[in-house]
Amino acid sequence: MGSVTEHNSEVKAAMGRMSRRSFLWAGIAALGAYSGVHWLASRQEDWGTPWPFRRALEANQGVGMDLYRKGQLSPTYLKADLTELRQNGDVGLEEENFDPSEWTLTVNNVFGKDEPTVLTLEDIKKLPVTTQITEMFCIEGWSMKVEWKGVRFADFAAKYPPSSRTSNPPDVNNKPEELVRYVSMMTPNEAYYVGLDMASALHPQTLLCYEMNGEPLSLDHGAPLRLAIPVKYGVKNLKRIGSITYTDQRPTDYWAEQGYDWYAGL
Amino acid sequence: MDDKPLRIEEKHPLAIRWFHWVNFPVLAIMIWSGLLIYWANGVMHLGPIALFPDWFYHPGYQEKPPKPGVYELSARLAEGMSWHFLLMWFFTINGILYVLYTAISGEWRHILPSRNTLREAIHVVLHDLHLRKEAPSQGKFNGAQKIAYTGVILMGLGSLVTGIAIYKPVQASLFTQLLGGYTVARFLHFWLMMGFIGFFFVHVAQVIRAGWNNFRAMVTGYEIVADEVTE
């Protein structure tokens, strides 16, 4: 049976040649994958993360904004569903002896106003009141269901409107896409700040909030006025709003500067 | 003894091999970056065992004076999210292409379980555990493989769906609500990941057991088979 042995060694040799070729390719592919990962991780940082990741987060934001539906509401819940309140994050609340009764809100770039508009809590409370129980998602991975009471930002913006990017006067309710594209909010000491896209700010569930779970806001939850924006992670729900600025330049953002997604949309 | 004539037979198409080997590092990075995200709020338990205990996050925390965490794994959330939300596209697209290819090429016939698969799979497991002498006859894959490979594809789909439910709990709230809420979706997403790790260990052990000819076929596409000699 010499012919079978001969035949078999030929088969094995052929397989050997084929294997060498394939494993060479496999080696090149593995090296390419390793280099790719190393390259990604070692690029220059852009707002706290290597730039390819920043570009990817921005591309994801594009997809998120394209698929964003204004009418898509965060599910609402009953009082029986409320979960224990958690407090997380003190940045921007450092000021000792902060007195909520002395507080005023500064609104910059209101349409037709050269000077900042300064409002008191009474001014805010004149707007229609909205109460809703929604889930707040912390970027860390936990969530809580809270009853928020305040005024819709859309109502606030209709009363104190941003400028239009067109020659038309601003029409917050009917032509929000013509408005300047962003809103910036900061704590009074400007230590914590968030940037929001106008569409999310005008979402019907975005509230300027002065009560949580039926109680006036406590200091550590952002008295006297905070943002409740269920279409964003908790990090965007700024406590103790000191100023609101309408702008067409993408505003800076405390956590986005440290490597997080600027959009943070849910 | 080379008494049976050997020949080279095609086993795995090139496309399947690419899908498989692209998925391996992508899924590995998805698991790693997913853990970086998870560790920002590590709440899962396996019975009474916390996943993971404090010393894991801050290995020096019990020393006096306490050493700062060596790894500070819980402080790498942004890094984890950066990787996870880039690689998710590769994982998803590779997975969809794989399923499409398998469906169109007819390769699905080799892995989709049929009526007899479960019985066959039980025999395979008993045989592997040396509780049963003869191995059941099989096609390209045995019954246990069919169940495992179909299962892991479904797990991939599960990871995608639970992932969307966690990623966009408002815009995709239908997913989140159908899964039973955010916490449940996160729980499922976590345990699917643990399932992938379990799959990996069993898979690698079986590949080692099956030997070089089998492993080589996943790289080259071909294996050497012995023809039965007809006397």
Side-chain angles (χ1 to χ4, degrees), chain A residues 171-213:
Chain A
D171 186 345
V172 172
N173 291 320
N174 302 310
K175 287 179 178 162
E177 68 281 356
E178 288 185 358
L179 303 173
V180 292
R181 290 172 297 175
Y182 301 103
V183 181
S184 163
M185 296 193 188
M186 289 191 176
T187 55
N189 66 357
E190 304 193 351
Y192 197 85
Y193 35 90
V194 298
L196 303 167
D197 55 292
M198 188 60 80
S200 298
L202 294 178
H203 186 275
Q205 289 175 313
T206 301
L207 303 185
L208 297 174
C209 164
Y210 44 78
E211 275 186 26
M212 280 168 79
N213 290 353

Side-chain angles (χ1 to χ4, degrees), chain A residues 105-111 113-119 153 156-157 160-163 179-188 190 192-198 201-202 208 225 227 238 241-252 262:
Chain A
L105 175 67
T106 305
V107 191
N108 298 306
N109 303 339
V110 174
F111 174 68
K113 301 269 169 68
D114 295 329
E115 296 292 309
T117 302
V118 178
L119 302 172
F153 186 80
F156 174 88
Y160 306 100
S163 307
L179 303 173
V180 292
R181 290 172 297 175
Y182 301 103
V183 181
S184 163
M185 296 193 188
M186 289 191 176
T187 55
E190 304 193 351
Y192 197 85
Y193 35 90
V194 298
L196 303 167
D197 55 292
M198 188 60 80
L202 294 178
L208 297 174
L225 190 72
L227 182 65
L238 183 104
I241 307 172
S243 69
I244 296 176
T245 305
Y246 302 124
T247 171
D248 209 33
Q249 306 292 322
R250 193 178 83 159
T252 190
W262 183 89

Side-chain angles (χ1 to χ4, degrees), chain A residues 5-258:
Chain A
T5 316
E6 221 167 87
H7 166 77
N8 285 357
S9 56
E10 266 171 39
V11 167
K12 284 178 183 166
M15 189 71 212
R17 284 193 297 277
M18 209 148 63
S19 299
R20 271 191 294 280
R21 202 166 53 230
S22 289
F23 276 92
L24 186 67
W25 278 113
I28 292 169
L31 204 66
Y34 176 81
S35 316
V37 167
H38 184 264
W39 182 86
L40 276 177
S42 60
R43 290 312 88 195
Q44 196 165 23
E45 292 203 343
D46 182 7
W47 285 36
T49 189
W51 68 258
F53 294 110
R54 182 56 65 194
R55 294 294 92 73
L57 290 173
E58 286 164 359
N60 290 346
Q61 167 178 345
V63 175
M65 290 177 86
D66 283 345
L67 298 179
Y68 175 87
R69 288 160 297 157
K70 188 185 176 188
Q72 181 61 49
L73 299 180
S74 184
T76 52
Y77 299 90
L78 304 171
K79 271 197 180 359
D81 301 319
L82 291 176
T83 49
E84 206 185 329
L85 212 51
R86 274 178 80 158
Q87 197 276 345
N88 208 28
D90 305 315
V91 183
L93 308 181
E94 296 87 351
E95 244 170 289
E96 282 174 43
N97 312 320
F98 174 78
D99 182 1
S101 65
E102 301 277 298
W103 170 92
T104 55
L105 175 67
T106 305
V107 191
N108 298 306
N109 303 339
V110 174
F111 174 68
K113 301 269 169 68
D114 295 329
E115 296 292 309
T117 302
V118 178
L119 302 172
T120 64
L121 195 58
E122 276 57 51
D123 296 325
I124 310 272
K125 284 184 170 174
K126 280 175 197 153
L127 292 161
V129 180
T130 300
T131 305
Q132 67 192 24
I133 299 177
T134 51
E135 190 167 12
M136 180 201 238
F137 302 96
C138 178
I139 201 162
E140 292 172 354
W142 50 272
S143 68
M144 60 179 179
K145 292 173 184 137
V146 181
E147 184 185 66
W148 309 96
K149 183 177 169 185
V151 302
R152 291 164 67 217
F153 186 80
D155 292 336
F156 174 88
K159 175 95 191 255
Y160 306 100
S163 307
S164 168
R165 288 182 293 134
T166 69
S167 50
N168 304 325
D171 186 345
V172 172
N173 291 320
N174 302 310
K175 287 179 178 162
E177 68 281 356
E178 288 185 358
L179 303 173
V180 292
R181 290 172 297 175
Y182 301 103
V183 181
S184 163
M185 296 193 188
M186 289 191 176
T187 55
N189 66 357
E190 304 193 351
Y192 197 85
Y193 35 90
V194 298
L196 303 167
D197 55 292
M198 188 60 80
S200 298
L202 294 178
H203 186 275
Q205 289 175 313
T206 301
L207 303 185
L208 297 174
C209 164
Y210 44 78
E211 275 186 26
M212 280 168 79
N213 290 353
E215 305 275 341
L217 283 187
S218 62
L219 278 175
D220 60 353
H221 282 292
L225 190 72
R226 69 170 296 170
L227 182 65
I229 181 162
V231 294
K232 299 286 185 193
Y233 273 122
V235 285
K236 294 278 194 190
N237 291 242
L238 183 104
K239 296 168 184 172
R240 195 187 289 177
I241 307 172
S243 69
I244 296 176
T245 305
Y246 302 124
T247 171
D248 209 33
Q249 306 292 322
R250 193 178 83 159
T252 190
D253 184 275
Y254 182 84
W255 286 107
E257 285 173 353
Q258 299 180 44

